[in-house]
Amino acid sequence: MNPPSRQRLWRFSGVYVGLGTALGILTAVILVGRSTTNQLADSVRLQDHAYTMLLHMESASSDMRGMEAAHRGFVAVGDSHFIAEYAIARDSMLSSLEAVHQQTTDETVRGLAQRLQTQIAQRLAYMDRTRELARLGRNEEAQAEIRVGSESRLRSEVYEGFGKIAARERQIIQHRTAAVAQGMRTSRGVNAAGVATSTVLVFLSILLFRSEAARRRRAKALLESSEERLRDFLDSASDLIQSSGPDGRLIYVNRALLEALGYEEQEVIGLPSEMFFAPECVAQGHALFERILGGESVTDIETVYIRNDGRRIHVKGSSNCRFEDGKPVASRTILHDVTQQREVERMKDQFVSIVSHELRTPLTSIRGALGLLSGGLLGDVSDRGKRMLELAVTNTDRLIRLINDILDVERIESGALPMARHRVALAEIMRHVEEMMRPLALKAGINLLITANDVDLNADEDRIVQMLTNLVGNAIKFSPPGTAVHVIAELEADCIHICVRDEGRGIPAHMLETVFARFRQVDGSDIREKGGTGLGLAISKSIVEQHNGTIWVESKTGLGSAFHVRLPVMTDSVAVKLAMSPASNPDGTLIMVCDDDADVRTVLSAILTDRGFRVSVAESGESALKLAADERPSLILLDLLDTDGFAVVDWLRKHNRLRDVPIMVYSAKDVDDEQRERLGLRQELIFTKSRMAPEQLVERVAAVVARNMDKPEDK
């Protein structure tokens, strides 16, 4: 072969090699471009899929909150509409979870979804159980379940499960985005090589890049559309949603929160989130934010926000923080406006206060006046008149008990049942119970047998007496004449076991779990035939539990019932017993009665005068102070008169001549521990009108006067 032939061969060889190389480069460019295009398409599809999963999770989480709200609503008020709302939210949530389980292609997400479904099933079982308690009328137990918060760990796990699925979907997006980025880098390298080796490939590369650019623009548009849908979803939520950066400045506030606080978005974005808090809650907000930045998921937020116009709104909710590479990125807070709920609670407390004062005071006067009439202190009464008076006294006492029970139940629900615990002797309590219940037992033809035990309790004596009289009264009420009611107290280790046993008709087995519920009677006709409110056992249960004790019942139909109470005892101590025996007063000791109710003053004056006391009366704090300074009574019987009574006590304590005059409080309202400390009086000197008849109060007055005369140094 000659040289020219060899040159042509090399030339043609070079052409073929060049052509082959060009074709190879073109093929590589096409393949790399197609791979990148497919990856980008896959990324868009996966991103859209992930956002769909996120929407399912947000929907399920919102439905779970709706279920909890409906659940609490039904337990609180018993309205069946809440059951319907609960069912709708539950079905929607289960549908969202099933969609996640069916549509996901990731085994990790599927496993998390399966676990979440199991946790939610447990959560639903808890709610069903609590609602069943409410449906059966066991509202107190149902509400106790909610207040104790025994399901808070499971609830946190459920919301944590939602977060794990969302985090996994974001992780998938991140991995796919990284793969696409690498593919794009490879594509650019191949294109650059193609442009350098062949001008033909430049045109093809331009076409390819234009195609890829169009695809990327479409992908970006899809991503922006997905983000817009997510933002619309958050803005349409009824919950108050906000997000802050690590510096505490707001980066997102949804429409519901803006409307609730009266702001526009541009007025709050970029400003510290503490701008929302009421002044007294700013420190709480700082502490809360530090907990969230520390990685804690806070589910018990309860604070006060201030609207743009200065009005206050109460909010409750939860918050957590999103982290990237171990560093906080943004906090996310979901709140609920509970202002209306707080206002309802305030109105309810106000109503209870009005009932307490406006009903108790006139009833006390009526009861005292009836006692004077029936006792013959205001003249002789015919036999028929006496029977009518006995009927009036009985029904007045019944009405007073009803009001007391209703108010006690209200305080039980609010957790404010007053307890003044101190060292008391069980034997003394049993003696009081026997004195109170013996007449009722004799009238019913029941033999009341009480066996006491000389131990000390750290207890509120009046409440323990109330609990035992409820149990003994029930036993007498439902026992046939000629039978016995046994009250036995036995020491068991560090507890006293009290058993009240009767020989009555018993309680059916299916009612044993509900007898301690409010307004429950074994037989509905009992309310008419036996009387009572159906609240006694519910109140007794609360009293026992607030003394760290337990109460239960054992019964068989036709064989009687036994109510058992266990209370902790005080060991290695001897109770100090104060003798409070009635005493007469032949010397005409002066007692001052200070009360804003004329009827109460009249009744107390009449009873005290009949016992031999001299009485002066005052209708206000101002007149009480003037009378006390002029007459220096041996004892002052004082109604608190709202805030005026405290001023009277403060003035007397500062007056050298009157600072040692004993004071007894006889008020329409219960005196709590804080008020008692302010008065500086022992618990045995404070009485509530509807809980102690005027005749009983005068007996206590006589005892205090007698004790004060025997021990002048003990004022």
Side-chain angles (χ1 to χ4, degrees):
M1 185 175 293
N2 53 33
S5 298
R6 287 196 297 269
Q7 290 178 356
R8 284 195 301 270
L9 179 59
W10 284 108
R11 189 165 56 246
F12 281 109
S13 297
V15 170
Y16 287 116
V17 169
L19 181 58
T21 302
L23 291 175
I25 293 173
L26 180 59
T27 301
V29 169
I30 294 173
L31 292 177
V32 171
R34 180 174 297 175
S35 175
T36 304
T37 300
N38 292 336
Q39 289 179 355
L40 185 58
D42 289 342
S43 177
V44 172
R45 180 177 55 79
L46 288 175
Q47 286 172 328
D48 187 72
H49 176 76
Y51 278 112
T52 299
M53 296 297 101
L54 289 175
L55 287 176
H56 285 318
M57 287 297 97
E58 289 293 339
S59 176
S61 178
S62 178
D63 290 335
M64 174 63 76
R65 289 190 293 272
M67 288 168 54
E68 291 172 344
H71 169 71
R72 289 191 296 270
F74 177 73
V75 172
V77 302
D79 192 338
S80 61
H81 291 295
F82 286 111
I83 294 295
E85 293 178 5
Y86 173 89
I88 292 172
R90 180 196 60 199
D91 294 342
S92 177
M93 180 196 67
L94 295 176
S95 177
S96 296
L97 290 177
E98 183 62 22
V100 170
H101 186 270
Q102 294 294 333
Q103 297 175 16
T104 185
T105 58
D106 184 79
E107 291 299 322
T108 300
V109 173
R110 182 173 286 109
L112 291 172
Q114 289 177 341
R115 181 180 179 186
L116 181 59
Q117 287 177 324
T118 301
Q119 294 170 338
I120 287 177
Q122 296 174 357
R123 176 75 175 160
L124 292 177
Y126 160 79
M127 290 184 177
D128 291 342
R129 185 175 66 256
T130 311
R131 287 199 324 281
E132 182 63 15
L133 291 176
R135 189 185 67 78
L136 292 176
R138 297 163 58 186
N139 299 73
E140 179 183 353
E141 295 181 38
Q143 293 174 2
E145 283 276 334
I146 293 176
R147 288 198 300 270
V148 169
S150 60
E151 85 290 357
S152 59
R153 178 185 61 79
L154 181 58
R155 181 176 182 272
S156 298
E157 290 177 353
V158 169
Y159 285 106
E160 183 181 359
F162 289 145
K164 287 182 177 179
I165 293 176
R168 176 58 181 170
E169 291 293 342
R170 295 190 186 93
Q171 184 181 19
I172 292 173
I173 293 174
Q174 291 173 353
H175 289 167
R176 180 58 61 179
T177 301
V180 170
Q182 180 61 39
M184 290 299 297
R185 287 193 293 271
T186 302
S187 178
R188 285 194 294 270
V190 172
N191 289 337
V195 170
T197 58
S198 175
T199 57
V200 176
L201 296 179
V202 172
F203 178 73
L204 296 176
S205 297
I206 292 173
L207 293 179
L208 177 62
F209 277 114
R210 288 182 63 182
S211 176
E212 289 299 318
R215 290 178 180 272
R216 293 180 68 177
R217 284 194 298 271
R218 289 194 295 272
K220 182 179 180 181
L222 289 174
L223 289 174
E224 291 176 349
S225 177
S226 297
E227 292 175 354
E228 186 65 24
R229 288 199 303 271
L230 180 59
R231 184 180 182 88
D232 288 343
F233 172 77
L234 295 177
D235 278 341
S236 64
S238 60
D239 296 329
L240 313 182
I241 303 174
Q242 67 183 68
S243 181
S244 302
D247 58 355
R249 296 183 179 275
L250 294 165
I251 59 178
Y252 173 75
V253 179
N254 78 332
R255 187 179 300 116
L257 182 56
L258 291 171
E259 292 176 354
L261 298 182
Y263 287 101
E264 297 295 334
E265 185 175 11
Q266 61 271 19
E267 294 180 294
V268 299
I269 296 300
L271 296 179
S273 59
E274 66 184 43
M275 67 177 292
F276 292 154
F277 287 90
E280 70 273 14
C281 298
V282 172
Q284 174 195 5
H286 284 306
L288 178 66
F289 194 65
E290 292 298 325
R291 291 168 59 191
I292 296 169
L293 290 182
E296 182 178 353
S297 181
V298 182
T299 60
D300 58 351
I301 298 175
E302 186 167 357
T303 188
V304 180
Y305 275 6
I306 296 292
R307 281 179 49 87
N308 195 18
D309 57 9
R311 287 185 293 169
R312 300 162 66 91
I313 67 170
H314 295 263
V315 295
K316 293 179 65 176
S318 59
S319 182
N320 57 22
C321 186
R322 181 168 60 90
F323 290 83
E324 289 183 3
D325 298 327
K327 296 181 180 180
V329 175
S331 67
R332 297 164 293 191
T333 304
I334 301 177
L335 301 170
H336 313 285
D337 186 349
V338 295
T339 305
Q340 187 175 5
Q341 176 183 341
R342 292 290 180 270
E343 179 63 18
V344 170
E345 292 174 355
R346 186 193 65 79
M347 293 173 63
K348 183 173 64 175
D349 293 340
Q350 185 178 15
F351 172 75
V352 171
S353 177
I354 292 173
V355 170
S356 176
H357 185 270
E358 299 301 329
L359 287 183
R360 281 177 166 176
T361 297
L363 281 174
T364 300
S365 302
I366 294 171
R367 178 62 180 83
L370 291 173
L372 290 173
L373 288 171
S374 62
L377 298 181
L378 302 180
D380 295 334
V381 181
S382 65
D383 291 340
R384 184 180 179 186
K386 288 182 180 179
R387 288 195 296 272
M388 293 298 102
L389 285 174
E390 290 175 358
L391 181 63
V393 169
T394 299
N395 283 279
T396 302
D397 289 340
R398 180 180 178 185
L399 182 57
I400 290 173
R401 286 194 301 271
L402 173 61
I403 293 173
N404 286 337
D405 286 348
I406 292 175
L407 293 176
D408 281 345
V409 166
E410 180 59 36
R411 285 192 293 270
I412 289 171
E413 289 186 347
S414 63
L417 186 66
M419 289 288 168
R421 299 173 66 171
H422 56 280
R423 188 188 307 276
V424 296
L426 179 61
E428 186 71 10
I429 290 175
M430 290 294 197
R431 185 180 66 82
H432 288 324
V433 173
E434 184 172 11
E435 289 177 354
M436 296 173 63
M437 304 310 296
R438 180 69 65 186
L440 179 63
L442 292 175
K443 184 177 179 180
I446 303 298
N447 187 16
L448 180 59
L449 304 174
I450 297 181
T451 303
N453 196 303
D454 193 14
V455 298
D456 291 338
L457 307 176
N458 180 24
D460 184 320
E461 180 176 1
D462 290 338
R463 294 299 180 186
I464 297 298
V465 169
Q466 180 184 6
M467 178 269 296
L468 287 174
T469 53
N470 281 342
L471 297 182
V472 175
N474 272 357
I476 293 173
K477 186 187 305 182
F478 294 103
S479 294
T483 60
V485 170
H486 299 266
V487 183
I488 302 172
E490 298 178 340
L491 189 62
E492 297 179 355
D494 57 349
C495 292
I496 189 71
H497 180 192
I498 304 172
C499 177
V500 179
R501 187 182 303 276
D502 63 59
E503 301 173 16
R505 67 190 184 191
I507 302 172
H510 69 279
M511 295 289 295
L512 292 178
E513 296 297 326
T514 62
V515 293
F516 294 103
R518 294 183 301 155
F519 301 107
R520 293 305 297 266
Q521 297 273 12
V522 174
D523 186 340
S525 62
D526 290 339
I527 296 178
R528 298 185 300 272
E529 296 177 4
K530 305 292 186 180
T533 64
L535 297 172
L537 291 180
I539 294 173
S540 298
K541 184 175 186 291
S542 175
I543 292 173
V544 171
E545 290 176 348
Q546 291 197 48
H547 283 82
N548 302 319
T550 56
I551 183 171
W552 71 99
V553 60
E554 296 176 347
S555 180
K556 291 184 179 180
T557 304
L559 298 179
S561 304
F563 284 84
H564 300 269
V565 175
R566 278 201 181 97
L567 295 171
V569 301
M570 296 187 69
T571 58
D572 302 326
S573 63
V574 178
V576 178
K577 304 177 179 64
L578 297 176
M580 297 289 287
S581 58
S584 62
N585 184 51
D587 298 329
T589 303
L590 178 63
I591 306 296
M592 186 174 78
V593 176
C594 179
D595 198 297
D596 62 342
D597 188 277
D599 294 335
V600 173
R601 296 196 302 270
T602 300
V603 170
L604 289 176
S605 297
I607 300 176
L608 286 167
T609 301
D610 182 67
R611 289 295 303 267
F613 290 102
R614 292 185 297 115
V615 181
S616 63
V617 296
E619 69 279 1
S620 66
E622 182 179 356
S623 60
L625 295 177
K626 185 177 184 304
L627 280 174
D630 293 342
E631 301 178 353
R632 196 185 186 280
S634 297
L635 183 142
I636 297 175
L637 189 57
L638 176 68
D639 184 1
L640 287 182
L641 307 175
D642 296 328
T643 57
D644 204 8
F646 294 102
V648 171
V649 174
D650 291 340
W651 187 87
L652 291 173
R653 293 290 182 258
K654 296 176 182 177
H655 197 288
N656 291 333
R657 183 168 171 265
L658 300 173
R659 67 175 53 175
D660 294 329
V661 174
I663 299 173
M664 293 178 65
V665 169
Y666 189 49
S667 180
K669 298 180 180 179
D670 289 319
V671 177
D672 57 32
D673 291 342
E674 181 179 351
Q675 292 173 324
R676 182 170 59 82
E677 291 179 5
R678 179 180 172 186
L679 291 169
L681 298 177
R682 298 188 303 273
Q683 181 65 36
E684 59 265 26
L685 297 178
I686 300 175
F687 307 97
T688 304
K689 289 179 179 178
S690 62
R691 300 189 186 281
M692 178 169 286
E695 301 93 326
Q696 296 173 297
L697 177 70
V698 170
E699 297 295 335
R700 298 295 180 96
V701 169
V704 171
V705 170
R707 185 174 59 190
N708 194 57
M709 295 176 65
D710 292 339
K711 298 181 179 180
E713 73 282 4
D714 183 18
K715 303 291 184 184

